[in-house]
Structure formats: structure tokens, C-alpha cells
Amino acid sequence: MTYKNVTIAGSGVLGYQIAFQTAFHGFNVTVYDINDAVLGKAKAKFSSLGEAFKRDLNATQQQLDKTFQNLSYTSNLLEAVKDADLLIEAVPENPEIKIDFYTKLAKVAPDKTVFVTNSSTLLPSHFAEATGRPSKFLALHFANSIWIHNTAEIMGHNTTDPKVFDAVVDFAKAIGMLALPLHKEQPGYILNSLLVPLLNAATSLLVNEVAKPETIDKTWMKATGAPVGPFGILDIVGITTAYNIDKIAAEKTKDDLKLKTVAYLKENFIDKNKLGVATNEGFYNYPNPAYKDADFLK
């Protein structure tokens, strides 16, 4: 089972990176999003991503020219999937949005198309029925800055076809990823099972007024040797993603601290469009965040 034509649904923080990485490795990639204005923003981001590939991967101009030739764009879902062997869903981390998307997708995608979700915390079994093809549906989760942090977690559910699972593992390797198969559904997969508790602990310290973001990040960076602290990570991941995850948890548990955290993030970041690296402002200002200053840890 091989894939040639890949559709990326959603051109946000991770979607546009997945699209570029896949096109860079020779696949025909169609980028789909809700309207042409959003797609225009994605196109603009590809130029800076090309420079990152030159800097970090020593990519040649010839490779980048070919990458751009492999990319096409549409806001028409039927057009986006008409030839797709594989569709990678990278829409917002909201169950209602994802279910609505898969319900529409199931009506127009060819029978051959395999669906994968890039969800960072939600289980594929949550959406399997909505896809209309549960045996051809699983999770393929990427870390941010995927050309450097090139991990790909592959996780099926109890009715995923093993052959489809293996084919997605092969695809992940084909686009330069370190393929990481999971053999059982796990909320948060491997990466976020480790990372989310750290980020939750950091936001709890902030919301409870124990310390400021810079102090918390300095503590983590100096004590562990990490190049970035939890609030720098939140800016990279995208504060909207963290907010949506916390909101789901707050609604489910009614936990006072979770509710307080959601309200804090909404008031101070979401409502002010301070969403992290994507908007050049979050806990830090970009493109030159304070934690990268030579004197930050002094």
C-alpha cells in the first residue's frame, strides 16, 4: 500500500508544516482550508519555512523549488480529496469541529482514501464512526517544528486495519520522520503524556500567582538544561491548543483550578489574539523571545 497524493486538511501551526515536509519529500500535496484568505496566510508562511529548511537541513534551492511545485491549494473539500490516497486532518483540537469535518469528508472522499488525525490528545476511536471508514482511520501525530523534531506517533484503534497501520508507519518514514508506533490507545500518546503534565504544572504555578512565566521558565531551563521552558513551549505549540485542551478538561471535571486556568488564558491571551509564535505574541514576543537572550539565565 503506497501513497502518492496527500491532502492536508487545516493549514494552521502544524498543518502547514506537515504539508511542506510531505511535499519536500516528493509527494503531491493538496492543502485544504476553509477559505482562500486562510490559504493565503499559509502560502506566505511557506516562504519562511523554506528558509528554515535551508538553515536547518541544508536544503538546496532546487529542492525547495520542487517542493513548491508539489504544493497545490483549495478551499473546496471535494476538489481537495478527489485524488487523495491519504488525508491528514489538522483542524482545531475541538471534538465538535473534528466530528463535523469527518462527517462532511466521508461524503466526498474516494473509498481508497485513508484518513489520519494529527490530534495531540484526542483518541481516534472518538471519531472512527464519523469517518465512515473506521478500518482506514488512525492517528498520526507530529511534534511542532517537524523538520527538526521529526517524531511521528502512529496510533490506531481497535478496528484499524493492521495493513493500513503499517502503511502509515512506512509513510511517516518516507517523509523523514522517526516513526513511533503505539500498540494501544493512550490519551496524549507518548509525547503529550510526558509533556502535558509539565505544562499543566507551569500554568498552575502562574494562575495561583506563585511565580511569573519568565521565572518558571528560567527554573526549568537552568535546572534541567532544556533550551526552552514550559511557557516558551506553550507559545510554540499555540496557546489556542492548550486552551482547548484545558477547556475540555474543565468542562468534564469542573475542577476549580482548571476552570480558573481556562478563564485566565481566555482573558489574557485568546481574547487579545496573543496566541504564541503564530501571532508573534504570547507569553513572549517574537521573533526574538526573551528566553533566547544570552543573559536570560543570569
Side-chain angles (χ1 to χ4, degrees):
M1 190 180 298
T2 57
Y3 306 131
K4 294 181 179 179
N5 302 312
V6 180
T7 298
I8 313 298
S11 60
V13 173
L14 268 169
Y16 86 97
Q17 295 180 35
I18 298 167
F20 200 84
Q21 179 80 13
T22 304
F24 182 78
H25 285 272
F27 291 82
N28 300 318
V29 176
T30 301
V31 184
Y32 165 81
D33 218 314
I34 54 175
N35 58 53
D36 291 339
V38 175
L39 288 171
K41 293 179 181 179
K43 291 179 185 179
K45 290 185 288 188
F46 284 140
S47 295
S48 60
L49 197 50
E51 292 304 310
F53 272 56
K54 281 184 178 180
R55 180 187 66 242
D56 299 326
L57 303 180
N58 296 317
T60 66
Q61 188 59 51
Q62 184 178 9
Q63 286 177 303
L64 294 177
D65 289 344
K66 181 60 177 175
T67 299
F68 282 101
Q69 291 173 15
N70 289 338
L71 289 164
S72 60
Y73 312 85
T74 183
S75 57
N76 182 304
L77 186 57
L78 175 60
E79 180 68 22
V81 299
K82 67 178 184 179
D83 297 317
D85 300 308
L86 176 69
L87 177 133
I88 302 174
E89 170 266 305
V91 305
E93 192 77 344
N94 179 306
E96 292 181 1
I97 293 174
K98 288 185 185 293
I99 289 172
D100 179 66
F101 173 73
Y102 281 120
T103 301
K104 293 175 180 175
L105 177 65
K107 296 176 181 177
V108 296
D111 290 340
K112 69 172 183 175
T113 310
V114 170
F115 300 165
V116 297
T117 178
N118 181 55
S119 173
S120 56
T121 58
L122 302 170
L123 300 177
S125 57
H126 291 168
F127 315 110
E129 184 176 349
T131 68
R133 59 190 71 194
S135 67
K136 294 181 179 178
F137 176 64
L138 63 159
L140 175 61
H141 175 244
F142 299 88
N144 208 343
S145 300
I146 70 172
W147 66 99
I148 302 172
H149 306 300
N150 58 324
T151 59
E153 297 175 283
I154 301 98
M155 183 172 74
H157 57 95
N158 61 1
T159 61
T160 300
D161 184 335
K163 292 181 179 179
V164 172
F165 184 94
D166 291 343
V168 172
V169 170
D170 290 342
F171 168 76
K173 294 176 180 178
I175 61 169
M177 295 292 103
L178 173 62
L180 303 167
L182 280 71
H183 303 295
K184 182 179 180 180
E185 280 196 311
Q186 164 64 34
Y189 307 66
I190 298 171
L191 177 60
N192 284 312
S193 290
L194 299 169
L195 179 61
V196 169
L198 168 67
L199 302 183
N200 285 342
T203 54
S204 295
L205 289 168
L206 172 62
V207 171
N208 284 331
E209 301 180 348
V210 174
K212 294 182 178 179
E214 293 85 353
T215 304
I216 297 166
D217 277 2
K218 286 179 182 180
T219 303
W220 184 255
M221 292 166 67
K222 190 67 172 179
T224 67
V228 60
F231 290 102
I233 294 171
L234 281 167
D235 278 350
I236 294 167
V237 170
I239 296 172
T240 300
T241 297
Y243 171 76
N244 285 336
I245 293 170
D246 284 335
K247 188 169 183 286
I248 291 168
E251 290 172 350
K252 183 178 181 179
T253 65
K254 307 299 181 185
D255 178 78
D256 288 342
L257 182 56
K258 280 293 181 191
L259 291 167
K260 189 176 179 181
T261 299
V262 169
Y264 181 92
L265 292 176
K266 184 176 189 301
E267 178 182 351
N268 293 284
F269 296 94
I270 303 300
D271 290 348
K272 296 179 180 180
N273 200 41
K274 297 179 179 180
L275 308 180
V277 174
T279 59
N280 292 322
E281 188 174 7
F283 291 99
Y284 296 92
N285 294 320
Y286 297 86
N288 299 305
Y291 65 79
K292 288 190 175 181
D293 290 348
D295 294 334
F296 186 69
L297 297 180
K298 294 183 180 179

